[in-house]
Amino acid sequence: MIETTAALQEACAQLAQSEFITIDTEFLRETTFWPELCLIQMASPDVEVLVDPLAKGLDLAPFFELMANPAVVKVFHAARQDIEIVHHLGGLVPHPIFDTQVAAMVCGFGDSVSYDQLVSRIKNIHIDKSSRFTDWSRRPLSEKQLDYALADVTHLRDVYLSLKEQLEREGRALWLTEEMAILENPSTYDLHPDDAWQRLKARLRKPSELAILKFVAAWREREARSRNVPRSRVLKDDAIYEIAQQQPKETEALGRLRTIPKGWERSASGTAIIEAVNTALALPKSDMPHPPKQSHVPEGAAAAVELLKVLLKLVSDKQGVAAKVIANTDDLEKIASDGEDAQVAALSGWRKELFGDTALKLIEGGVALRFVNKKVEAVEL
């Protein structure tokens, strides 16, 4: 367990000599907005380390320098949350990266396969996950916790090498480029408070309702960040929806809402909500946001979408690629509606070659689906 800056500097220097390192983190987030980093695990082919970021006086600068080293591939499994931590604390995004969960989908291991399932299928080893939800902030950590934490990066070495070899053997290494570019983009982890409303799922149709939703959601985002508490501790989603629909212009009206706790409307937060509502309603009509246009499948095209789903399943099974990586239902609806003009990833790059070209032929009548010998196949007409 590394607990000093000097030891971390030495370990990172050793790790930097490898072509790749595997990385994982343990953190807590139940009561905070930002994840509380409690442990860092790293391994190269011949070095294995655990780093205690809670150790007094430990400076993580050597770790961040390693994360920024372009000569070392950083291997994660389901990288997004780990990278979010590095981005928040170090102000950078690791580069280059390799996400074994995404690679596993391209290699035919199914949608969003878990780490323990991947280790089991590739190495035939069962990982004890009973320590997963333990309190990683308490010290000292138990031997069971340390063994579990280290296993998250030691087995990942073999998983990475196996997936990398399969991708190269099957000529699919470049297929990961697009997904890795998204994970390496800082904007993926730096949601602006003014865009926080996009997290909400409300079906609001009136411009004034949507304006209030955006202003209140932005206030909540800033408040949660400044107080370092979960968004729901500041204001629950249901309350934002009700405020947007009822549009209270004074504290008395706010206090009558079902989702607002008694007396909360007289707090500083209540005052801020009223200010946000009135600011939104004061926008000129031309500046009011408009609900995004809903994509409607043309009459009679629903059957085409179902046929495209069958084709997608057929292609994903045959090619050993998770359907989720190729296209989703929205993509299929756009292809059925707009044909080759559909702006979807499935009609570009390797996805087009694998699925998109055949999908276009299917909706244009150039390909048929038939059931032969108890299986479906696509045939050109």
Side-chain angles (χ1 to χ4, degrees):
M1 176 72 81
I2 291 177
E3 298 178 327
T4 67
T5 304
L8 179 60
Q9 181 74 56
E10 181 181 353
C12 288
Q14 291 179 324
L15 291 166
Q17 298 175 20
S18 301
E19 292 184 359
F20 76 91
I21 58 173
T22 55
I23 311 161
D24 190 36
T25 63
E26 305 299 339
F27 57 89
L28 299 178
R29 200 173 194 168
E30 289 79 5
T31 61
T32 60
F33 181 89
W34 304 110
E36 179 186 359
L37 181 60
C38 300
L39 191 68
I40 302 171
Q41 308 98 281
M42 295 184 286
S44 67
D46 49 14
V47 178
E48 304 166 358
V49 299
L50 297 175
V51 181
D52 184 3
L54 301 182
K56 187 176 180 179
L58 178 67
D59 185 352
L60 290 177
F63 168 70
F64 296 131
E65 291 175 9
L66 179 61
M67 292 298 96
N69 188 336
V72 182
V73 176
K74 294 83 180 173
V75 181
F76 298 87
H77 183 83
R80 194 173 291 256
Q81 290 194 84
D82 298 311
I83 295 177
E84 180 188 9
I85 292 173
V86 175
H87 180 258
H88 172 60
L89 296 178
L92 60 95
V93 173
H95 171 80
I97 63 172
F98 185 102
D99 190 325
T100 55
Q101 187 176 71
V102 178
M105 289 193 284
V106 173
C107 290
F109 286 86
D111 292 346
S112 304
V113 62
S114 68
Y115 176 66
D116 53 321
Q117 290 173 333
L118 202 52
V119 171
S120 176
R121 293 175 64 177
I122 290 178
K123 298 192 63 179
N124 197 28
I125 292 175
H126 173 71
I127 297 178
D128 180 6
K129 303 292 287 186
S130 60
S131 297
R132 181 179 181 184
F133 295 112
T134 55
D135 186 352
W136 292 98
S137 66
R138 297 186 63 180
R139 294 295 185 269
L141 296 172
S142 68
E143 287 298 321
K144 186 176 181 180
Q145 284 178 301
L146 297 177
D147 290 342
Y148 163 83
L150 200 58
D152 274 351
V153 290
T154 53
H155 296 309
L156 190 56
R157 295 178 295 200
D158 293 329
V159 169
Y160 163 68
L161 293 173
S162 176
L163 292 174
K164 181 173 180 287
E165 190 275 331
Q166 182 176 342
L167 289 169
E168 292 174 349
R169 183 179 68 249
E170 298 176 355
R172 299 180 178 183
L174 292 178
W175 292 14
L176 293 183
T177 302
E178 182 179 330
E179 296 296 327
M180 294 304 100
I182 294 173
L183 289 174
E184 291 180 357
N185 190 335
S187 64
T188 301
Y189 313 96
D190 190 21
L191 179 69
H192 193 279
D194 290 341
D195 296 324
W197 66 276
Q198 296 177 2
R199 293 176 174 271
L200 302 170
K201 306 296 184 182
R203 296 179 179 274
L204 301 176
R205 309 308 308 160
K206 297 178 181 178
S208 61
E209 293 177 345
L210 192 56
I212 293 172
L213 180 82
K214 296 177 76 168
F215 273 80
V216 174
W219 168 82
R220 182 180 70 168
E221 188 76 8
R222 293 186 177 93
E223 190 75 5
R225 292 186 183 194
S226 65
R227 291 164 50 186
N228 193 24
V229 296
R231 296 177 183 89
S232 60
R233 292 280 185 93
V234 177
L235 191 66
K236 295 187 181 302
D237 290 354
D238 288 347
I240 296 182
Y241 302 147
E242 188 179 16
I243 290 168
Q245 292 174 324
Q246 299 301 321
Q247 305 182 7
K249 301 180 183 63
E250 62 280 324
T251 55
E252 291 77 13
L254 181 64
R256 290 194 292 269
L257 300 187
R258 176 180 56 85
T259 55
I260 299 301
K262 185 176 181 180
W264 189 85
E265 72 278 6
R266 295 189 296 273
S267 67
S269 295
T271 301
I273 292 295
I274 295 302
E275 182 179 345
V277 170
N278 288 319
T279 301
L281 293 176
L283 288 174
K285 189 174 182 180
S286 59
D287 293 341
M288 284 282 184
H290 295 281
K293 292 182 179 180
Q294 300 294 316
S295 58
H296 296 288
V297 179
E299 186 176 354
V305 175
E306 295 305 314
L307 286 178
L308 288 170
K309 289 180 180 179
V310 174
L311 178 64
L312 179 60
K313 173 66 174 173
L314 180 65
V315 170
S316 65
D317 287 347
K318 181 178 180 180
Q319 299 294 331
V321 181
K324 180 181 179 181
V325 178
I326 302 173
N328 56 37
T329 301
D330 287 342
D331 295 336
L332 301 183
E333 290 179 351
K334 290 176 182 177
I335 293 174
S337 301
D338 304 329
E340 63 182 9
D341 294 327
Q343 300 297 311
V344 296
L347 295 185
S348 65
W350 64 268
R351 292 176 175 87
K352 186 173 187 290
E353 181 180 346
L354 198 70
F355 169 75
D357 287 335
T358 307
L360 292 175
K361 290 179 181 179
L362 177 65
I363 64 172
E364 292 167 357
V367 164
L369 299 177
R370 68 180 182 182
F371 190 67
V372 179
N373 297 326
K374 298 183 179 180
K375 65 178 182 179
V376 176
E377 60 181 28
V379 294
E380 292 205 25
L381 301 177

